Amino acid sequence: SANGLKSARWKNINQTKRLINKQLLFFEIWSNNVLRDTFIGGFVVCPEDPSGHSNQTIELQAPIEWNRKERVTGSRQGVAKVVLKVASRTKDKK
């Protein structure tokens, strides 16, 4: 559950995706509740020219857009940081 948390961290998510230049990546943040999950917010990052950074790490930041329907007593602010490991592009086998 995300109640009362000031920060969270996920690492080693090992998702391989083929990206094109300036392709948007959308992320959603959900609270894992016992009966049902609740949408908390999300963010979007836009890596520029991932193919030009072969075998490097790209670090991107984006503001979190919070769920406006969620009840909160104060204002929320947040920044998400995404670290992408870029692999060299492989050719498709025919």
Side-chain angles (χ1 to χ4, degrees):
S1 176
N3 294 338
L5 289 180
K6 298 291 183 189
S7 66
R9 183 178 191 171
W10 294 264
K11 56 184 184 175
N12 300 325
I13 297 183
N14 296 332
Q15 291 278 328
T16 302
K17 302 287 181 192
R18 177 176 283 177
L19 301 176
I20 58 173
N21 192 23
K22 298 184 181 180
Q23 180 177 342
L24 298 177
L25 294 174
F26 295 87
F27 295 85
E28 293 181 346
I29 304 168
W30 291 78
S31 176
N32 186 7
N33 296 316
V34 175
L35 298 176
R36 66 180 180 155
D37 295 342
T38 305
F39 177 71
I40 296 173
F43 60 95
V44 179
V45 294
C46 181
E48 287 192 41
D49 192 18
S51 62
H53 296 85
S54 191
N55 298 317
Q56 294 183 18
T57 300
I58 300 173
E59 191 171 295
L60 305 167
Q61 291 190 13
I64 296 173
E65 296 292 329
W66 300 102
N67 181 4
R68 303 283 183 227
K69 295 180 182 178
E70 183 185 26
R71 289 184 166 195
V72 291
T73 56
S75 66
R76 277 193 184 181
Q77 295 180 356
V79 176
K81 181 171 78 171
V82 178
V83 178
L84 303 174
K85 292 183 181 177
V86 181
S88 61
R89 188 173 172 169
T90 59
K91 294 183 180 179
D92 293 330
K93 293 182 180 179
K94 292 184 179 181

